[in-house]
Amino acid sequence: MSRISDQRILLLVISFSASLQSTKVLSEWKKCGDPECEKAMSRVQAITDYLGPDCRYLNFKTGEEIIVYSKLSRENENLWTGSKGKDFGYFPRDAVKVEEVLIGEEVEVLTKETDFLCLHEDKYTFE
């Protein structure tokens, strides 16, 4: 029985490693409110409905409030990341208007491959 469990774990690790290499990196850099990207940067309001192309994106309706935690920079400055309730993901900056800036200065940091993973039904999905 434990041999079957060991084989399943090994297959999961191999699958995870192979999938991680094929993750779509949307940008190598992002701007945050702190080096760990844990501080909220701003509060924004949706000015249009938005439905993202995959599970990495935040879907919202006009008028909803979103808290921004990071902004992709350099090669893809149009995408920001934020949360609405328990949902978190990327969205285009031109779909929102800034209501309140919550930080004084932005810090630019490297992105991680884990920034571009989907968490769907308690499992990671790689695009």
Side-chain angles (χ1 to χ4, degrees):
M1 182 70 159
S2 70
R3 183 180 168 121
I4 292 173
S5 294
D6 291 343
Q7 289 174 342
R8 286 182 180 167
I9 291 170
L10 180 60
L11 286 173
L12 181 62
V13 169
I14 291 169
S15 174
F16 180 79
S17 297
S19 296
L20 190 58
Q21 292 173 356
S22 67
T23 301
K24 289 182 186 175
V25 174
L26 301 172
S27 178
E28 290 187 26
W29 294 91
K30 62 184 176 181
K31 293 180 182 178
C32 301
D34 64 283
E36 292 79 32
C37 297
E38 294 175 351
K39 266 187 191 173
M41 298 177 73
S42 59
R43 183 177 55 80
V44 300
Q45 184 176 35
I47 57 174
T48 186
D49 292 355
Y50 178 72
L51 180 61
D54 62 47
C55 61
R56 295 175 296 174
Y57 292 80
L58 181 67
N59 300 321
F60 49 79
K61 302 262 187 220
T62 303
E64 290 187 306
E65 183 178 281
I66 301 163
I67 302 299
V68 177
Y69 287 94
S70 69
K71 303 172 182 179
L72 295 184
S73 60
R74 299 191 186 188
E75 62 266 12
N76 195 357
E77 294 185 352
N78 185 47
L79 289 177
W80 291 0
T81 55
S83 66
K84 175 188 68 131
K86 64 179 181 148
D87 298 327
F88 186 86
Y90 293 93
F91 59 91
R93 72 178 180 187
D94 60 356
V96 299
K97 68 177 178 179
V98 176
E99 295 286 309
E100 181 181 11
V101 175
L102 304 172
I103 59 161
E105 191 173 313
E106 295 177 350
V107 182
E108 190 171 48
V109 297
L110 283 167
T111 60
K112 302 172 191 163
E113 287 182 339
T114 54
D115 289 337
F116 308 104
L117 299 178
C118 292
L119 181 58
H120 184 66
E121 296 178 6
D122 297 328
K123 64 183 176 185
Y124 287 107
T125 305
F126 299 89
E127 299 299 324

